[in-house]
Amino acid sequence: MKHFLSILFIFSFNLVSPLLAQDKNCADMSALLENKIWKVQLPKYKQYTMEMEFRNAGWRTTFLYDEKRTKTFYSYSLHGDTIKVFESGKNYIIQELTDSTLTFLYLPESLTIGVTPVRCTTDNSIQGKRKNEKRLDSIWRKEDIWNKGTVPINKTQTIKKPPRWTVWNYDVEKYFISQMKYPQELLKKNVAGYSVVMFSIDTLGLPREINILTTIHKEFDKEIIRLTKELPHCLPCRDKNGKRIECFHTVYIPFLPQHYRDRVKADRSVCGYQRHQ
């Protein structure tokens, strides 16, 4: 029986391993595709250009035809080396994908180029990464879910003074950004994103219940929970009579790889300067 189970385990492992490897490959490819603007290199005689952006499993394309701009949106998924676009029913076979170049077999039903490889490029320079991260951050900040601010736990109460942290220029978002340790695997892959955390603050100004409202990646959550637990006490909420009250506070924290590298480099320069003083 033990011999049979050993054979069954080996057979199952051999069957499942390629599938796990394929899932990991798709996840790696998705990380490379997501959150960048890809510019398609089309034949010079064509009278249109195209930009593509992969963001949150949505494929946003912008066609510029005879100087008229047309935007379209498709949801997509990755299957092995194929991008499947649901709404249009088109498949795009990836032939090469790096940090800065995407080459796929373009099989459109309209704006036909022919069944030939098409190259797309994105600005992967340090300046390009900074610019792209600022663009993404501005997009994410518009989401309603993180714009909750501070609300009283007791709904019958009214907040006169919100909680205030006397360091980081009274901006608690700066605490999270300045103290975070970027998840290493996501940093290597340049995965950008954000988490939105809501936590309660007691009358002593200490954080209590912690809830992640939304996030791009679970590894970001772990870091935000750690930082929230280590958050120093603040000047607590007060009502119109000046009485301390408990409240919920919501904070949006962006994870931007290049900005993180810039911050780490700046921190090291300051430490190096201070050691030489």
Side-chain angles (χ1 to χ4, degrees), residues 142-167:
K142 294 176 183 177
E143 295 292 331
D144 176 66
I145 194 165
W146 81 270
N147 288 297
K148 303 300 182 184
T150 306
V151 295
I153 291 179
N154 184 342
K155 293 182 179 179
T156 63
Q157 296 174 319
T158 303
I159 293 176
K160 177 70 174 180
K161 290 185 178 180
R164 298 181 72 198
W165 285 264
T166 56
V167 289

Side-chain angles (χ1 to χ4, degrees), residues 92-251:
Y92 302 83
I93 301 171
I94 299 174
Q95 296 187 334
E96 177 192 359
L97 179 59
T98 67
D99 247 4
S100 57
T101 305
L102 164 65
T103 307
F104 56 57
L105 207 58
Y106 195 63
L107 307 173
E109 296 171 0
S110 59
L111 297 176
T112 302
I113 301 171
V115 185
T116 55
V118 174
R119 286 174 63 84
C120 311
T121 58
T122 188
D123 185 355
N124 208 40
S125 66
I126 291 177
Q127 289 294 340
K129 288 177 182 177
R130 288 176 186 142
K131 183 178 179 181
N132 194 49
E133 288 176 5
K134 286 182 179 179
R135 175 186 64 86
L136 289 169
D137 188 36
S138 68
I139 292 170
W140 293 329
R141 284 180 184 275
K142 294 176 183 177
E143 295 292 331
D144 176 66
I145 194 165
W146 81 270
N147 288 297
K148 303 300 182 184
T150 306
V151 295
I153 291 179
N154 184 342
K155 293 182 179 179
T156 63
Q157 296 174 319
T158 303
I159 293 176
K160 177 70 174 180
K161 290 185 178 180
R164 298 181 72 198
W165 285 264
T166 56
V167 289
W168 307 291
N169 293 323
Y170 297 96
D171 185 351
V172 73
E173 184 185 320
K174 289 182 179 178
Y175 158 76
F176 287 97
I177 293 174
S178 65
Q179 302 301 311
M180 75 165 56
K181 296 177 182 177
Y182 215 102
Q184 284 302 307
E185 288 301 314
L186 300 182
L187 184 62
K188 289 177 184 176
K189 296 175 184 176
N190 287 311
V191 176
Y194 64 89
S195 286
V196 178
V197 62
M198 174 184 279
F199 52 92
S200 63
I201 301 173
D202 64 18
T203 54
L204 295 176
L206 293 171
R208 295 303 181 193
E209 299 174 52
I210 302 171
N211 292 288
I212 300 295
L213 298 184
T214 186
T215 188
I216 295 292
H217 202 287
K218 63 180 181 180
E219 292 301 318
F220 295 154
D221 294 354
K222 294 178 182 178
E223 180 60 6
I224 294 307
I225 291 171
R226 179 189 74 83
L227 289 169
T228 305
K229 288 179 178 179
E230 296 178 3
L231 188 67
H233 74 87
C234 65
L235 301 176
C237 269
R238 293 183 182 271
D239 63 11
K240 60 183 179 180
N241 298 317
K243 181 183 176 182
R244 297 182 180 194
I245 61 173
E246 294 181 321
C247 65
F248 288 117
H249 190 67
T250 304
V251 186

